[in-house]
């Protein structure tokens, strides 16, 4: 079976470096908020192109803490509206409602599956105070247009970069476009820890200070609490392991791009729709980090069963959109037809830096044999 993502193979290629980093932390006797975290924060901020990186416990916390810090700084208040794509993973929505802010769900651009500036503009009201731009599947949302809208309407912009480590538009990478960004280092991410982890990037000094304090029990100095904070910190072990993986991130991204390019040029079955159009995605391949390679099929269940029978593991990202989840039952009557269609049709093919050429060709052949 060709795995969707072979994490064992990914980590095996870095085994000695990872073991050395782990041993360094164990031998140090310092396991929380030490030199490994400080070094990783500096290195990841430099990689993204921001002044600050604040390590936190996970990607959801990264988003929650930014919004919470903006409230603490008086830039947001309860009830303010935050525009967010309707077809995102539920974490993007949870971060908004956890802060007692109001999500405004908008349909995505069908070709990119990311936010559409025109649809953002149509959703802005006097109560809109922020935009949460999700870089879905590893390609940046149209950030230049989004930032122009934000400046025009005096809105805050938070990037959800959980799937976009290293993705760029021109020379600017994910995490450096908005006023802040949240990253996840969940093991399956392009930059994945060996456990949970996350980070906030920003060039806003006051925001970075507030996020760091709120995630440390509301404290900047031990036993002195200026906020009603929480415990959300990236530990030394994960920081050390992420430092190893960060060095290899661009190399791994290039490997993903090669897989994606082969899929785009090789999959030709008429019932399998490639992301956007193949030419559209080939043109942006050097900027896209391909966290996921999604195809669309009107009979997804049949395609998934066919690929399983041909030894190809696939996943669905995501089967139920946020507005149809039980957790948000008051939204179940919303009409978001494009979002619902995407969630009914998308299927994620295997993609990862450890895939062999033989595996990639097998996936292409299995897709083209669908229905035969």
């Amino acid at each position: 079976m060709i795995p969707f993502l072979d994490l064992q193979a990914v980590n095996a290629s870095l085994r000695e470096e990872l073991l050395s980093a782990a041993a360094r932390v164990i031998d140090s006797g310092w396991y929380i908020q030490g030199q490994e975290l400080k070094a990783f924060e500096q290195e990841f901020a430099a990689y993204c192109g921001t002044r600050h990186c604040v390590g936190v416990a996970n990607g959801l916390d990264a988003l929650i803490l930014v919004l919470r810090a903006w409230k603490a700084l008086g830039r947001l208040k309860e009830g303010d509206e935050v525009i967010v794509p309707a077809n995102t993973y539920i974490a993007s929505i949870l971060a908004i409602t956890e802060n007692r802010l109001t999500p405004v769900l908008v349909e995505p651009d069908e070709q990119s599956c990311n936010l559409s500036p025109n649809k953002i503009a149509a959703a802005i009201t006097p109560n809109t105070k922020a935009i949460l731009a999700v870089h879905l599947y590893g390609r940046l949302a149209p950030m230049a247009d989004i930032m122009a809208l934000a400046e025009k309407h005096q809105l805050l912009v938070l990037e959800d970069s959980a799937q976009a480590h290293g993705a760029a538009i021109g020379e600017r990478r994910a995490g450096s476009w908005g006023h802040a960004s949240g990253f996840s280092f969940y093991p399956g991410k392009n930059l994945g820890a060996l456990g949970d982890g996350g980070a906030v990037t920003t060039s806003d000094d006051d925001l970075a200070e507030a996020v760091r304090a709120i995630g440390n029990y509301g404290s900047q100095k031990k036993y002195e609490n200026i906020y009603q904070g929480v415990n959300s910190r990236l530990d030394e072990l994960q920081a050390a392991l992420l430092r190893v993986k960060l060095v290899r991130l661009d190399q791994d991204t290039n490997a993903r791009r090669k897989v994606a390019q082969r899929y785009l040029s090789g999959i030709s079955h008429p019932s399998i729709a490639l992301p956007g159009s193949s030419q559209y995605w080939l043109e942006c391949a050097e900027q896209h980090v391909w966290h996921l390679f999604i195809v669309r099929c009107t009979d997804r269940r049949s395609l998934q069963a066919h690929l399983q029978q041909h030894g190809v593991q696939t996943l669905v990202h995501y089967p139920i959109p946020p507005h149809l989840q039980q957790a948000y039952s008051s939204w179940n009557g919303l009409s978001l037809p494009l979002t619902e269609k995407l969630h009914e049709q998308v299927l994620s093919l295997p993609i990862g830096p450890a895939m062999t050429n033989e595996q990639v060709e097998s996936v292409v052949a299995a897709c083209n044999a669908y229905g035969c």
Side-chain angles (χ1 to χ4, degrees), residues 54 72 87 168 180 208 268 318 322 349 351:
V54 181
N87 62 314
S268 58
Y318 304 97
L349 301 183
I351 192 165

Side-chain angles (χ1 to χ4, degrees), residues 4-331:
F4 174 75
L5 176 63
D6 190 346
L7 284 178
Q8 190 172 20
V10 170
N11 292 324
S13 66
L14 290 167
R15 177 180 174 83
E16 295 307 316
E17 294 97 320
L18 293 171
L19 287 173
S20 177
R24 189 170 67 240
V25 173
I26 292 168
D27 293 344
S28 75
W30 194 291
Y31 308 120
I32 297 288
Q33 291 188 310
Q35 292 305 307
E36 294 291 345
L37 175 61
K38 183 177 180 180
F40 172 72
E41 288 178 336
Q42 291 172 343
E43 290 159 6
F44 194 63
Y47 180 84
C48 294
T50 59
R51 283 203 301 271
H52 303 284
C53 167
V54 181
V56 299
N58 54 67
L60 174 57
D61 277 6
L63 300 176
I64 289 173
L65 288 171
V66 170
L67 295 172
R68 186 165 176 172
W70 277 336
K71 288 177 67 180
L73 293 169
R75 301 176 191 177
L76 291 175
K77 66 180 185 304
E78 288 189 12
D80 283 346
E81 293 179 356
V82 181
I83 291 173
V84 63
N87 62 314
T88 186
Y89 180 55
I90 198 170
S92 309
I93 313 296
L94 290 171
I96 299 170
T97 57
E98 176 69 16
N99 280 286
R100 298 188 179 182
L101 301 166
T102 303
V104 176
L105 308 182
V106 299
E107 294 268 56
D109 172 76
E110 186 166 7
Q111 190 174 37
S112 70
C113 297
N114 278 330
L115 278 172
S116 158
N118 290 337
K119 292 177 183 177
I120 294 173
I124 293 173
T125 75
N127 295 321
T128 305
K129 302 301 177 184
I131 301 168
L132 203 167
V134 182
H135 305 316
L136 203 61
Y137 308 142
R139 181 175 186 267
L140 291 192
M143 291 306 299
D145 291 338
I146 289 173
M147 295 309 296
L149 272 173
E151 183 175 358
K152 178 180 178 181
H153 295 278
Q154 297 183 304
L155 306 178
L156 295 165
V157 176
L158 172 56
E159 297 174 71
D160 183 340
S161 300
Q163 299 185 4
H165 312 75
I169 298 174
E171 298 300 317
R172 291 185 65 177
R173 284 178 166 149
S176 67
W177 281 90
H179 300 104
S181 180
F183 286 88
S184 168
F185 303 127
Y186 181 79
K189 302 300 185 185
N190 290 30
L191 180 60
L194 272 67
D196 263 326
V200 171
T201 59
T202 183
S203 290
D204 182 330
D205 299 345
D206 292 337
L207 178 64
E209 186 176 84
V211 167
R212 191 178 298 280
I214 293 170
N216 186 38
Y217 299 97
S219 174
Q220 293 174 330
K221 183 179 179 181
K222 195 169 185 178
Y223 301 130
E224 295 182 12
N225 306 83
I226 57 177
Y227 302 107
Q228 296 179 23
V230 297
N231 177 11
S232 182
R233 302 176 297 202
L234 181 65
D235 67 66
E236 284 289 281
L237 181 59
Q238 298 302 338
L241 300 175
L242 285 165
R243 292 184 68 197
V244 172
K245 291 193 159 192
L246 180 58
V247 174
R248 253 263 299 269
L249 179 56
D250 288 345
Q251 179 182 330
D252 286 350
T253 297
N254 286 333
R256 287 176 175 271
R257 286 172 176 154
K258 289 179 181 177
V259 175
Q261 288 169 346
R262 179 60 190 133
Y263 286 167
L264 290 167
S265 64
I267 297 173
S268 58
H269 196 287
S271 297
I272 301 175
L274 296 169
S277 68
S278 58
Q279 185 59 36
Y280 171 83
W281 288 95
L282 283 167
E283 287 172 356
C284 72
E286 292 183 0
Q287 308 270 290
H288 194 311
V289 297
W290 299 102
H291 174 62
L292 299 174
F293 189 99
I294 60 104
V295 295
R296 290 170 59 183
C297 182
T298 55
D299 191 352
R300 178 176 64 200
R301 183 176 298 180
S302 170
L303 175 59
Q304 188 170 34
H306 164 84
L307 293 175
Q308 178 76 16
Q309 291 169 1
H310 283 72
V312 177
Q313 182 188 28
T314 59
L315 295 178
V316 176
H317 296 87
Y318 304 97
I320 306 173
H323 74 282
L324 295 181
Q325 297 282 359
Q326 183 177 342
Y328 293 110
S329 57
S330 63
W331 299 346

Side-chain angles (χ1 to χ4, degrees), residues 336-348:
L336 295 163
L338 175 55
T339 291
E340 291 165 20
K341 182 170 72 170
L342 289 171
H343 283 257
E344 290 168 358
Q345 294 182 357
V346 296
L347 184 67
S348 299

